Structure formats: C-alpha cells, structure tokens
Amino acid sequence: MNTKAFEIRAYYKSELAMLYFPDMTRRGAVRRLNNWLKINPRLADLADANDFTPVQVALIVSEVGEPYR
C-alpha cells in the first residue's frame, strides 16, 4: 500500500484520472473524471482541459477529495 501523501502539483488529465480510478483503463478513467467535472458547477469549466495547474488540482481536490491511495 502506498502511504505517500497526495501532492498538489500540475497533472495531465489522464494522470490525475488514473489516480482517482486506478482499476479502470486510462480512457475509462478520463471519461469518469470528465463526468465528475461536468456535473459539478465549480469544476465544469475544467472538463475541456488536457492538463491541470496546481491551482486547478487544488480546486478539484477541495470539491471531490483526494484520490484513493
């Protein structure tokens, strides 16, 4: 089990999606993350992004929580 704390930094969308959905394919994980982003009014503008800045990652984490570790 990985006990390293989640790091707020820039992430590619697929990289962050795989942290949230590690048991899914990369494509499926990105689709699921996009769905999460689209249904949250505070995150909907991020659905079209291919990568996220540290500020955007912090916003995502504040809305949906840290990825499972």
Side-chain angles (χ1 to χ4, degrees):
M1 183 161 115
N2 187 354
T3 58
K4 185 178 177 185
F6 177 72
E7 180 181 0
I8 300 291
R9 61 173 179 81
Y11 285 90
Y12 290 110
K13 181 182 276 184
S14 61
E15 181 184 16
L16 186 61
M18 290 304 297
L19 291 174
Y20 276 105
F21 309 105
D23 296 331
M24 297 182 79
T25 64
R26 185 170 299 273
R27 187 177 200 171
V30 168
R31 285 181 183 164
R32 178 75 52 92
L33 180 60
N34 277 335
N35 288 338
W36 277 15
L37 297 174
K38 288 176 184 177
I39 64 171
N40 186 315
R42 292 185 182 139
L43 303 177
D45 291 343
L46 299 178
D48 293 329
N50 290 320
D51 50 15
F52 302 115
T53 66
V55 171
Q56 291 169 324
V57 171
L59 177 61
I60 292 168
V61 169
S62 74
E63 290 292 315
V64 301
E66 288 187 2
Y68 298 113
R69 302 306 271 155

Short mmCIF file of all heavy atoms in Angstrom, two decimals:
data_model
loop_
_atom_site.label_atom_id
_atom_site.label_comp_id
_atom_site.label_asym_id
_atom_site.label_seq_id
_atom_site.Cartn_x
_atom_site.Cartn_y
_atom_site.Cartn_z
N MET A 1 0.85 -1.18 0.00
CA MET A 1 0.00 0.00 0.00
C MET A 1 0.88 1.23 0.00
O MET A 1 1.83 1.35 0.75
CB MET A 1 -0.90 -0.02 1.23
CG MET A 1 -1.86 1.13 1.27
SD MET A 1 -3.21 0.82 2.38
CE MET A 1 -2.92 2.05 3.59
N ASN A 2 0.53 2.18 -0.85
CA ASN A 2 1.29 3.42 -0.96
C ASN A 2 0.78 4.40 0.10
O ASN A 2 -0.37 4.77 0.10
CB ASN A 2 1.12 3.99 -2.36
CG ASN A 2 2.01 5.18 -2.61
OD1 ASN A 2 2.69 5.66 -1.71
ND2 ASN A 2 2.01 5.65 -3.82
N THR A 3 1.67 4.83 0.98
CA THR A 3 1.27 5.74 2.05
C THR A 3 1.72 7.17 1.78
O THR A 3 1.55 8.03 2.62
CB THR A 3 1.83 5.27 3.40
OG1 THR A 3 3.25 5.21 3.30
CG2 THR A 3 1.25 3.93 3.79
N LYS A 4 2.31 7.41 0.62
CA LYS A 4 2.75 8.75 0.27
C LYS A 4 1.55 9.67 0.13
O LYS A 4 0.54 9.33 -0.48
CB LYS A 4 3.53 8.70 -1.05
CG LYS A 4 4.14 10.02 -1.44
CD LYS A 4 4.94 9.87 -2.71
CE LYS A 4 5.48 11.23 -3.13
NZ LYS A 4 6.15 11.16 -4.42
N ALA A 5 1.66 10.86 0.70
CA ALA A 5 0.57 11.84 0.64
C ALA A 5 0.38 12.32 -0.80
O ALA A 5 1.33 12.41 -1.57
CB ALA A 5 0.87 13.02 1.55
N PHE A 6 -0.85 12.63 -1.13
CA PHE A 6 -1.15 13.17 -2.46
C PHE A 6 -0.50 14.54 -2.59
O PHE A 6 -0.59 15.38 -1.70
CB PHE A 6 -2.67 13.28 -2.65
CG PHE A 6 -3.04 13.90 -3.96
CD1 PHE A 6 -2.87 13.18 -5.14
CD2 PHE A 6 -3.53 15.19 -4.03
CE1 PHE A 6 -3.21 13.75 -6.36
CE2 PHE A 6 -3.87 15.76 -5.25
CZ PHE A 6 -3.70 15.03 -6.42
N GLU A 7 0.15 14.76 -3.71
CA GLU A 7 0.87 16.01 -3.94
C GLU A 7 0.08 16.93 -4.87
O GLU A 7 -0.32 16.52 -5.97
CB GLU A 7 2.23 15.71 -4.59
CG GLU A 7 3.07 16.92 -4.86
CD GLU A 7 4.39 16.59 -5.52
OE1 GLU A 7 4.68 15.41 -5.78
OE2 GLU A 7 5.14 17.55 -5.79
N ILE A 8 -0.18 18.14 -4.40
CA ILE A 8 -0.80 19.16 -5.25
C ILE A 8 0.28 19.71 -6.16
O ILE A 8 1.24 20.34 -5.71
CB ILE A 8 -1.43 20.30 -4.42
CG1 ILE A 8 -2.49 19.77 -3.47
CG2 ILE A 8 -1.98 21.40 -5.32
CD1 ILE A 8 -3.74 19.26 -4.12
N ARG A 9 0.15 19.44 -7.44
CA ARG A 9 1.09 19.89 -8.46
C ARG A 9 0.37 19.84 -9.80
O ARG A 9 -0.80 19.46 -9.85
CB ARG A 9 2.34 19.01 -8.50
CG ARG A 9 2.05 17.55 -8.84
CD ARG A 9 3.34 16.76 -9.04
NE ARG A 9 3.13 15.37 -9.33
CZ ARG A 9 2.83 14.87 -10.53
NH1 ARG A 9 2.65 15.66 -11.56
NH2 ARG A 9 2.66 13.57 -10.71
N ALA A 10 1.02 20.20 -10.88
CA ALA A 10 0.42 20.10 -12.20
C ALA A 10 0.30 18.62 -12.59
O ALA A 10 1.20 17.82 -12.29
CB ALA A 10 1.27 20.83 -13.23
N TYR A 11 -0.82 18.26 -13.20
CA TYR A 11 -1.07 16.89 -13.65
C TYR A 11 -1.67 16.93 -15.05
O TYR A 11 -2.48 17.81 -15.35
CB TYR A 11 -2.09 16.17 -12.75
CG TYR A 11 -1.58 15.75 -11.42
CD1 TYR A 11 -1.67 16.59 -10.32
CD2 TYR A 11 -1.04 14.48 -11.22
CE1 TYR A 11 -1.21 16.20 -9.07
CE2 TYR A 11 -0.58 14.08 -9.99
CZ TYR A 11 -0.67 14.94 -8.92
OH TYR A 11 -0.21 14.54 -7.69
N TYR A 12 -1.30 15.94 -15.87
CA TYR A 12 -2.06 15.69 -17.09
C TYR A 12 -3.39 15.11 -16.66
O TYR A 12 -3.48 14.42 -15.64
CB TYR A 12 -1.35 14.70 -18.00
CG TYR A 12 -0.09 15.26 -18.62
CD1 TYR A 12 1.16 14.79 -18.22
CD2 TYR A 12 -0.16 16.23 -19.61
CE1 TYR A 12 2.31 15.30 -18.79
CE2 TYR A 12 1.00 16.74 -20.17
CZ TYR A 12 2.22 16.27 -19.76
OH TYR A 12 3.36 16.78 -20.32
N LYS A 13 -4.43 15.36 -17.44
CA LYS A 13 -5.76 14.85 -17.07
C LYS A 13 -5.73 13.34 -16.90
O LYS A 13 -6.28 12.81 -15.93
CB LYS A 13 -6.79 15.23 -18.13
CG LYS A 13 -8.19 14.73 -17.77
CD LYS A 13 -9.20 15.05 -18.84
CE LYS A 13 -9.70 16.45 -18.64
NZ LYS A 13 -10.77 16.80 -19.59
N SER A 14 -5.09 12.62 -17.81
CA SER A 14 -5.07 11.16 -17.72
C SER A 14 -4.32 10.69 -16.48
O SER A 14 -4.70 9.69 -15.86
CB SER A 14 -4.47 10.54 -18.98
OG SER A 14 -3.14 10.97 -19.16
N GLU A 15 -3.28 11.39 -16.12
CA GLU A 15 -2.50 11.05 -14.92
C GLU A 15 -3.36 11.20 -13.66
O GLU A 15 -3.41 10.31 -12.80
CB GLU A 15 -1.28 11.97 -14.86
CG GLU A 15 -0.36 11.74 -13.71
CD GLU A 15 0.77 12.76 -13.68
OE1 GLU A 15 0.70 13.82 -14.35
OE2 GLU A 15 1.73 12.49 -12.94
N LEU A 16 -4.07 12.31 -13.55
CA LEU A 16 -4.93 12.53 -12.40
C LEU A 16 -6.10 11.54 -12.40
O LEU A 16 -6.46 10.99 -11.36
CB LEU A 16 -5.44 13.97 -12.38
CG LEU A 16 -6.24 14.39 -11.16
CD1 LEU A 16 -5.40 14.26 -9.88
CD2 LEU A 16 -6.77 15.81 -11.31
N ALA A 17 -6.66 11.30 -13.57
CA ALA A 17 -7.78 10.35 -13.68
C ALA A 17 -7.37 8.97 -13.19
O ALA A 17 -8.13 8.29 -12.50
CB ALA A 17 -8.27 10.29 -15.12
N MET A 18 -6.16 8.54 -13.52
CA MET A 18 -5.70 7.21 -13.10
C MET A 18 -5.47 7.15 -11.59
O MET A 18 -5.58 6.09 -10.99
CB MET A 18 -4.42 6.81 -13.85
CG MET A 18 -4.64 6.52 -15.32
SD MET A 18 -5.89 5.23 -15.64
CE MET A 18 -5.13 3.81 -14.88
N LEU A 19 -5.18 8.29 -10.97
CA LEU A 19 -5.06 8.30 -9.52
C LEU A 19 -6.43 8.13 -8.86
O LEU A 19 -6.55 7.47 -7.83
CB LEU A 19 -4.40 9.60 -9.05
CG LEU A 19 -2.93 9.76 -9.39
CD1 LEU A 19 -2.43 11.14 -8.99
CD2 LEU A 19 -2.09 8.69 -8.71
N TYR A 20 -7.44 8.73 -9.45
CA TYR A 20 -8.80 8.60 -8.92
C TYR A 20 -9.41 7.24 -9.24
O TYR A 20 -10.20 6.71 -8.46
CB TYR A 20 -9.71 9.71 -9.45
CG TYR A 20 -9.60 10.99 -8.66
CD1 TYR A 20 -8.92 12.09 -9.17
CD2 TYR A 20 -10.17 11.10 -7.40
CE1 TYR A 20 -8.82 13.27 -8.45
CE2 TYR A 20 -10.06 12.27 -6.66
CZ TYR A 20 -9.39 13.34 -7.19
OH TYR A 20 -9.28 14.51 -6.46
N PHE A 21 -9.09 6.69 -10.39
CA PHE A 21 -9.70 5.43 -10.85
C PHE A 21 -8.63 4.44 -11.30
O PHE A 21 -8.53 4.11 -12.47
CB PHE A 21 -10.68 5.72 -12.00
CG PHE A 21 -11.65 6.81 -11.68
CD1 PHE A 21 -11.51 8.07 -12.24
CD2 PHE A 21 -12.70 6.58 -10.81
CE1 PHE A 21 -12.41 9.09 -11.93
CE2 PHE A 21 -13.61 7.59 -10.50
CZ PHE A 21 -13.46 8.85 -11.06
N PRO A 22 -7.82 3.94 -10.37
CA PRO A 22 -6.68 3.10 -10.74
C PRO A 22 -7.05 1.74 -11.33
O PRO A 22 -6.24 1.12 -12.01
CB PRO A 22 -5.92 2.93 -9.42
CG PRO A 22 -6.96 3.13 -8.37
CD PRO A 22 -7.91 4.16 -8.93
N ASP A 23 -8.27 1.29 -11.12
CA ASP A 23 -8.68 -0.02 -11.63
C ASP A 23 -9.34 0.05 -13.00
O ASP A 23 -9.79 -0.98 -13.51
CB ASP A 23 -9.62 -0.71 -10.63
CG ASP A 23 -8.93 -1.01 -9.31
OD1 ASP A 23 -7.69 -1.21 -9.32
OD2 ASP A 23 -9.61 -1.03 -8.27
N MET A 24 -9.39 1.22 -13.57
CA MET A 24 -10.01 1.40 -14.88
C MET A 24 -8.92 1.57 -15.93
O MET A 24 -7.77 1.84 -15.62
CB MET A 24 -10.91 2.64 -14.87
CG MET A 24 -12.08 2.56 -13.92
SD MET A 24 -13.12 4.03 -14.00
CE MET A 24 -14.04 3.64 -15.49
N THR A 25 -9.33 1.42 -17.20
CA THR A 25 -8.41 1.76 -18.28
C THR A 25 -8.18 3.26 -18.25
O THR A 25 -8.99 4.02 -17.70
CB THR A 25 -8.99 1.37 -19.66
OG1 THR A 25 -10.16 2.15 -19.90
CG2 THR A 25 -9.30 -0.12 -19.73
N ARG A 26 -7.12 3.70 -18.87
CA ARG A 26 -6.83 5.14 -18.91
C ARG A 26 -7.99 5.89 -19.56
O ARG A 26 -8.45 6.92 -19.07
CB ARG A 26 -5.52 5.38 -19.67
CG ARG A 26 -5.06 6.82 -19.66
CD ARG A 26 -3.66 6.95 -20.21
NE ARG A 26 -2.68 6.22 -19.42
CZ ARG A 26 -2.05 6.69 -18.33
NH1 ARG A 26 -2.29 7.91 -17.93
NH2 ARG A 26 -1.19 5.96 -17.69
N ARG A 27 -8.49 5.38 -20.65
CA ARG A 27 -9.59 6.02 -21.36
C ARG A 27 -10.85 6.09 -20.48
O ARG A 27 -11.53 7.11 -20.42
CB ARG A 27 -9.87 5.25 -22.64
CG ARG A 27 -10.86 5.90 -23.53
CD ARG A 27 -11.00 5.10 -24.80
NE ARG A 27 -11.56 5.93 -25.83
CZ ARG A 27 -11.65 5.58 -27.09
NH1 ARG A 27 -11.18 4.42 -27.49
NH2 ARG A 27 -12.19 6.37 -27.96
N GLY A 28 -11.17 4.99 -19.83
CA GLY A 28 -12.34 4.96 -18.95
C GLY A 28 -12.19 5.89 -17.77
O GLY A 28 -13.15 6.55 -17.36
N ALA A 29 -10.99 5.97 -17.22
CA ALA A 29 -10.73 6.85 -16.09
C ALA A 29 -10.91 8.32 -16.49
O ALA A 29 -11.49 9.11 -15.74
CB ALA A 29 -9.33 6.60 -15.53
N VAL A 30 -10.43 8.68 -17.66
CA VAL A 30 -10.58 10.05 -18.14
C VAL A 30 -12.06 10.37 -18.36
O VAL A 30 -12.53 11.45 -17.99
CB VAL A 30 -9.76 10.30 -19.42
CG1 VAL A 30 -10.12 11.62 -20.08
CG2 VAL A 30 -8.26 10.27 -19.11
N ARG A 31 -12.79 9.43 -18.93
CA ARG A 31 -14.24 9.65 -19.13
C ARG A 31 -14.94 9.85 -17.79
O ARG A 31 -15.79 10.73 -17.66
CB ARG A 31 -14.86 8.46 -19.85
CG ARG A 31 -14.54 8.43 -21.31
CD ARG A 31 -15.21 7.25 -21.97
NE ARG A 31 -14.85 7.18 -23.37
CZ ARG A 31 -15.02 6.13 -24.13
NH1 ARG A 31 -15.55 5.02 -23.63
NH2 ARG A 31 -14.68 6.14 -25.39
N ARG A 32 -14.61 9.04 -16.80
CA ARG A 32 -15.24 9.16 -15.49
C ARG A 32 -14.88 10.50 -14.84
O ARG A 32 -15.74 11.16 -14.28
CB ARG A 32 -14.80 7.99 -14.60
CG ARG A 32 -15.33 7.99 -13.20
CD ARG A 32 -16.78 7.58 -13.05
NE ARG A 32 -17.12 6.34 -13.67
CZ ARG A 32 -17.10 5.14 -13.08
NH1 ARG A 32 -16.72 5.03 -11.83
NH2 ARG A 32 -17.45 4.07 -13.74
N LEU A 33 -13.61 10.89 -14.92
CA LEU A 33 -13.21 12.18 -14.36
C LEU A 33 -13.95 13.31 -15.07
O LEU A 33 -14.43 14.24 -14.42
CB LEU A 33 -11.70 12.37 -14.46
CG LEU A 33 -11.15 13.69 -13.91
CD1 LEU A 33 -11.47 13.85 -12.42
CD2 LEU A 33 -9.65 13.78 -14.14
N ASN A 34 -14.05 13.24 -16.39
CA ASN A 34 -14.79 14.26 -17.14
C ASN A 34 -16.24 14.35 -16.66
O ASN A 34 -16.79 15.44 -16.54
CB ASN A 34 -14.76 13.98 -18.64
CG ASN A 34 -13.51 14.49 -19.29
OD1 ASN A 34 -12.87 15.42 -18.81
ND2 ASN A 34 -13.14 13.89 -20.40
N ASN A 35 -16.86 13.21 -16.41
CA ASN A 35 -18.23 13.21 -15.91
C ASN A 35 -18.31 13.91 -14.56
O ASN A 35 -19.23 14.69 -14.31
CB ASN A 35 -18.79 11.79 -15.81
CG ASN A 35 -19.09 11.20 -17.16
OD1 ASN A 35 -19.28 11.92 -18.14
ND2 ASN A 35 -19.12 9.88 -17.24
N TRP A 36 -17.36 13.61 -13.67
CA TRP A 36 -17.32 14.27 -12.36
C TRP A 36 -17.20 15.78 -12.53
O TRP A 36 -17.87 16.54 -11.84
CB TRP A 36 -16.13 13.77 -11.56
CG TRP A 36 -16.31 12.50 -10.82
CD1 TRP A 36 -17.30 11.57 -10.98
CD2 TRP A 36 -15.47 12.01 -9.79
NE1 TRP A 36 -17.10 10.53 -10.11
CE2 TRP A 36 -15.98 10.77 -9.37
CE3 TRP A 36 -14.31 12.47 -9.19
CZ2 TRP A 36 -15.40 10.01 -8.38
CZ3 TRP A 36 -13.72 11.72 -8.20
CH2 TRP A 36 -14.26 10.50 -7.80
N LEU A 37 -16.32 16.19 -13.43
CA LEU A 37 -16.09 17.61 -13.64
C LEU A 37 -17.35 18.29 -14.20
O LEU A 37 -17.73 19.37 -13.75
CB LEU A 37 -14.90 17.83 -14.58
CG LEU A 37 -13.54 17.34 -14.09
CD1 LEU A 37 -12.50 17.50 -15.19
CD2 LEU A 37 -13.11 18.03 -12.82
N LYS A 38 -17.98 17.66 -15.17
CA LYS A 38 -19.14 18.25 -15.84
C LYS A 38 -20.34 18.43 -14.91
O LYS A 38 -21.10 19.38 -15.07
CB LYS A 38 -19.54 17.42 -17.04
CG LYS A 38 -18.58 17.54 -18.19
CD LYS A 38 -18.96 16.62 -19.33
CE LYS A 38 -17.93 16.67 -20.44
NZ LYS A 38 -18.25 15.74 -21.52
N ILE A 39 -20.53 17.53 -13.96
CA ILE A 39 -21.71 17.62 -13.10
C ILE A 39 -21.52 18.57 -11.93
O ILE A 39 -22.48 18.89 -11.24
CB ILE A 39 -22.19 16.24 -12.59
CG1 ILE A 39 -21.14 15.58 -11.70
CG2 ILE A 39 -22.58 15.35 -13.74
CD1 ILE A 39 -21.63 14.32 -11.00
N ASN A 40 -20.29 19.00 -11.70
CA ASN A 40 -20.02 19.94 -10.61
C ASN A 40 -19.89 21.34 -11.19
O ASN A 40 -18.95 21.61 -11.95
CB ASN A 40 -18.73 19.53 -9.88
CG ASN A 40 -18.47 20.36 -8.66
OD1 ASN A 40 -18.60 21.58 -8.68
ND2 ASN A 40 -18.10 19.71 -7.58
N PRO A 41 -20.80 22.24 -10.84
CA PRO A 41 -20.76 23.59 -11.43
C PRO A 41 -19.43 24.31 -11.21
O PRO A 41 -19.01 25.10 -12.05
CB PRO A 41 -21.89 24.33 -10.72
CG PRO A 41 -22.78 23.28 -10.19
CD PRO A 41 -21.92 22.07 -9.93
N ARG A 42 -18.75 24.05 -10.11
CA ARG A 42 -17.47 24.72 -9.84
C ARG A 42 -16.33 24.14 -10.66
O ARG A 42 -15.27 24.75 -10.77
CB ARG A 42 -17.13 24.62 -8.36
CG ARG A 42 -18.07 25.41 -7.49
CD ARG A 42 -17.62 25.38 -6.06
NE ARG A 42 -18.56 26.11 -5.24
CZ ARG A 42 -18.96 25.71 -4.06
NH1 ARG A 42 -18.48 24.60 -3.52
NH2 ARG A 42 -19.82 26.41 -3.38
N LEU A 43 -16.54 22.94 -11.22
CA LEU A 43 -15.47 22.27 -11.96
C LEU A 43 -15.76 22.13 -13.45
O LEU A 43 -14.89 21.72 -14.21
CB LEU A 43 -15.22 20.88 -11.37
CG LEU A 43 -14.85 20.82 -9.89
CD1 LEU A 43 -14.72 19.38 -9.44
CD2 LEU A 43 -13.58 21.60 -9.60
N ALA A 44 -16.97 22.46 -13.87
CA ALA A 44 -17.41 22.20 -15.24
C ALA A 44 -16.48 22.82 -16.29
O ALA A 44 -16.26 22.22 -17.34
CB ALA A 44 -18.84 22.69 -15.44
N ASP A 45 -15.92 23.97 -16.00
CA ASP A 45 -15.02 24.62 -16.96
C ASP A 45 -13.72 23.83 -17.17
O ASP A 45 -13.04 24.04 -18.18
CB ASP A 45 -14.66 26.03 -16.50
CG ASP A 45 -15.83 26.98 -16.57
OD1 ASP A 45 -16.83 26.67 -17.26
OD2 ASP A 45 -15.77 28.04 -15.92
N LEU A 46 -13.40 22.93 -16.27
CA LEU A 46 -12.16 22.16 -16.38
C LEU A 46 -12.32 20.91 -17.24
O LEU A 46 -11.33 20.26 -17.57
CB LEU A 46 -11.68 21.75 -14.99
CG LEU A 46 -11.36 22.89 -14.02
CD1 LEU A 46 -10.94 22.33 -12.67
CD2 LEU A 46 -10.30 23.80 -14.60
N ALA A 47 -13.55 20.57 -17.62
CA ALA A 47 -13.78 19.33 -18.36
C ALA A 47 -13.06 19.31 -19.71
O ALA A 47 -12.68 18.24 -20.19
CB ALA A 47 -15.28 19.10 -18.55
N ASP A 48 -12.86 20.46 -20.32
CA ASP A 48 -12.21 20.50 -21.64
C ASP A 48 -10.69 20.59 -21.56
O ASP A 48 -10.02 20.53 -22.59
CB ASP A 48 -12.75 21.69 -22.44
CG ASP A 48 -14.21 21.50 -22.82
OD1 ASP A 48 -14.64 20.35 -23.00
OD2 ASP A 48 -14.92 22.52 -22.92
N ALA A 49 -10.15 20.72 -20.37
CA ALA A 49 -8.70 20.85 -20.20
C ALA A 49 -8.01 19.50 -20.42
O ALA A 49 -8.57 18.45 -20.13
CB ALA A 49 -8.38 21.37 -18.81
N ASN A 50 -6.80 19.55 -20.94
CA ASN A 50 -5.99 18.33 -21.09
C ASN A 50 -4.99 18.17 -19.96
O ASN A 50 -4.44 17.09 -19.77
CB ASN A 50 -5.24 18.35 -22.42
CG ASN A 50 -6.18 18.18 -23.58
OD1 ASN A 50 -7.11 17.39 -23.53
ND2 ASN A 50 -5.96 18.95 -24.63
N ASP A 51 -4.73 19.26 -19.28
CA ASP A 51 -3.85 19.21 -18.11
C ASP A 51 -4.34 20.25 -17.11
O ASP A 51 -5.13 21.12 -17.44
CB ASP A 51 -2.38 19.42 -18.48
CG ASP A 51 -2.15 20.65 -19.35
OD1 ASP A 51 -3.04 21.50 -19.44
OD2 ASP A 51 -1.07 20.76 -19.93
N PHE A 52 -3.88 20.10 -15.88
CA PHE A 52 -4.34 20.95 -14.80
C PHE A 52 -3.17 21.61 -14.09
O PHE A 52 -2.16 20.96 -13.83
CB PHE A 52 -5.14 20.14 -13.77
CG PHE A 52 -6.33 19.42 -14.34
CD1 PHE A 52 -6.37 18.04 -14.35
CD2 PHE A 52 -7.40 20.13 -14.86
CE1 PHE A 52 -7.46 17.37 -14.87
CE2 PHE A 52 -8.49 19.46 -15.39
CZ PHE A 52 -8.53 18.08 -15.40
N THR A 53 -3.33 22.87 -13.75
CA THR A 53 -2.33 23.59 -12.97
C THR A 53 -2.48 23.16 -11.50
O THR A 53 -3.52 22.58 -11.12
CB THR A 53 -2.55 25.11 -13.06
OG1 THR A 53 -3.80 25.43 -12.42
CG2 THR A 53 -2.54 25.60 -14.50
N PRO A 54 -1.50 23.46 -10.67
CA PRO A 54 -1.65 23.15 -9.25
C PRO A 54 -2.89 23.80 -8.63
O PRO A 54 -3.56 23.18 -7.79
CB PRO A 54 -0.37 23.69 -8.63
CG PRO A 54 0.64 23.60 -9.73
CD PRO A 54 -0.15 23.93 -10.98
N VAL A 55 -3.24 25.00 -9.04
CA VAL A 55 -4.43 25.67 -8.51
C VAL A 55 -5.69 24.90 -8.90
O VAL A 55 -6.60 24.70 -8.09
CB VAL A 55 -4.49 27.14 -8.99
CG1 VAL A 55 -5.82 27.78 -8.64
CG2 VAL A 55 -3.34 27.94 -8.42
N GLN A 56 -5.75 24.44 -10.14
CA GLN A 56 -6.90 23.66 -10.59
C GLN A 56 -6.99 22.32 -9.87
O GLN A 56 -8.07 21.88 -9.50
CB GLN A 56 -6.83 23.44 -12.10
CG GLN A 56 -7.04 24.71 -12.90
CD GLN A 56 -6.72 24.55 -14.36
OE1 GLN A 56 -5.79 23.83 -14.73
NE2 GLN A 56 -7.48 25.23 -15.21
N VAL A 57 -5.84 21.67 -9.66
CA VAL A 57 -5.82 20.40 -8.93
C VAL A 57 -6.32 20.63 -7.50
O VAL A 57 -7.12 19.84 -6.98
CB VAL A 57 -4.41 19.77 -8.94
CG1 VAL A 57 -4.33 18.57 -8.00
CG2 VAL A 57 -4.04 19.36 -10.36
N ALA A 58 -5.88 21.69 -6.87
CA ALA A 58 -6.34 22.01 -5.51
C ALA A 58 -7.85 22.21 -5.48
O ALA A 58 -8.52 21.75 -4.55
CB ALA A 58 -5.62 23.23 -4.98
N LEU A 59 -8.40 22.85 -6.50
CA LEU A 59 -9.84 23.05 -6.58
C LEU A 59 -10.56 21.72 -6.74
O LEU A 59 -11.56 21.45 -6.05
CB LEU A 59 -10.18 23.99 -7.74
CG LEU A 59 -11.67 24.23 -7.99
CD1 LEU A 59 -12.33 24.87 -6.77
CD2 LEU A 59 -11.86 25.08 -9.23
N ILE A 60 -10.06 20.87 -7.61
CA ILE A 60 -10.67 19.54 -7.80
C ILE A 60 -10.66 18.76 -6.49
O ILE A 60 -11.67 18.20 -6.07
CB ILE A 60 -9.94 18.76 -8.91
CG1 ILE A 60 -10.18 19.43 -10.27
CG2 ILE A 60 -10.39 17.30 -8.94
CD1 ILE A 60 -9.28 18.93 -11.38
N VAL A 61 -9.52 18.75 -5.82
CA VAL A 61 -9.40 18.02 -4.55
C VAL A 61 -10.33 18.61 -3.49
O VAL A 61 -10.94 17.87 -2.72
CB VAL A 61 -7.92 18.00 -4.08
CG1 VAL A 61 -7.80 17.49 -2.66
CG2 VAL A 61 -7.09 17.15 -5.03
N SER A 62 -10.47 19.92 -3.47
CA SER A 62 -11.36 20.53 -2.47
C SER A 62 -12.82 20.15 -2.72
O SER A 62 -13.61 20.09 -1.78
CB SER A 62 -11.20 22.05 -2.46
OG SER A 62 -11.79 22.65 -3.58
N GLU A 63 -13.18 19.89 -3.97
CA GLU A 63 -14.55 19.54 -4.32
C GLU A 63 -14.85 18.04 -4.20
O GLU A 63 -15.93 17.67 -3.76
CB GLU A 63 -14.87 20.00 -5.75
CG GLU A 63 -14.98 21.50 -5.89
CD GLU A 63 -16.18 22.07 -5.18
OE1 GLU A 63 -17.28 21.52 -5.29
OE2 GLU A 63 -16.01 23.11 -4.50
N VAL A 64 -13.91 17.20 -4.60
CA VAL A 64 -14.19 15.75 -4.64
C VAL A 64 -13.32 14.92 -3.69
O VAL A 64 -13.53 13.73 -3.57
CB VAL A 64 -14.10 15.18 -6.06
CG1 VAL A 64 -15.07 15.87 -6.99
CG2 VAL A 64 -12.69 15.26 -6.63
N GLY A 65 -12.35 15.56 -3.06
CA GLY A 65 -11.46 14.85 -2.16
C GLY A 65 -10.22 14.34 -2.88
O GLY A 65 -10.12 14.40 -4.10
N GLU A 66 -9.29 13.86 -2.08
CA GLU A 66 -8.04 13.32 -2.65
C GLU A 66 -8.32 11.97 -3.29
O GLU A 66 -9.23 11.26 -2.89
CB GLU A 66 -6.99 13.13 -1.56
CG GLU A 66 -6.42 14.42 -1.03
CD GLU A 66 -5.26 14.18 -0.06
OE1 GLU A 66 -4.89 13.02 0.18
OE2 GLU A 66 -4.76 15.18 0.47
N PRO A 67 -7.48 11.62 -4.27
CA PRO A 67 -7.61 10.28 -4.85
C PRO A 67 -7.37 9.22 -3.79
O PRO A 67 -6.65 9.46 -2.81
CB PRO A 67 -6.50 10.23 -5.91
CG PRO A 67 -6.15 11.64 -6.18
CD PRO A 67 -6.43 12.39 -4.93
N TYR A 68 -7.98 8.07 -3.98
CA TYR A 68 -7.75 6.95 -3.06
C TYR A 68 -6.32 6.51 -3.15
O TYR A 68 -5.75 6.47 -4.22
CB TYR A 68 -8.68 5.78 -3.41
CG TYR A 68 -10.13 6.12 -3.29
CD1 TYR A 68 -10.93 6.17 -4.42
CD2 TYR A 68 -10.69 6.39 -2.06
CE1 TYR A 68 -12.26 6.50 -4.32
CE2 TYR A 68 -12.02 6.72 -1.95
CZ TYR A 68 -12.82 6.77 -3.09
OH TYR A 68 -14.13 7.09 -2.98
N ARG A 69 -5.73 6.17 -2.03
CA ARG A 69 -4.33 5.73 -2.03
C ARG A 69 -4.24 4.30 -1.64
O ARG A 69 -4.75 3.71 -0.86
CB ARG A 69 -3.50 6.58 -1.07
CG ARG A 69 -3.52 8.06 -1.39
CD ARG A 69 -3.13 8.43 -2.77
NE ARG A 69 -1.69 8.63 -2.84
CZ ARG A 69 -0.99 8.49 -3.92
NH1 ARG A 69 -1.53 8.18 -5.04
NH2 ARG A 69 0.29 8.71 -3.94
#
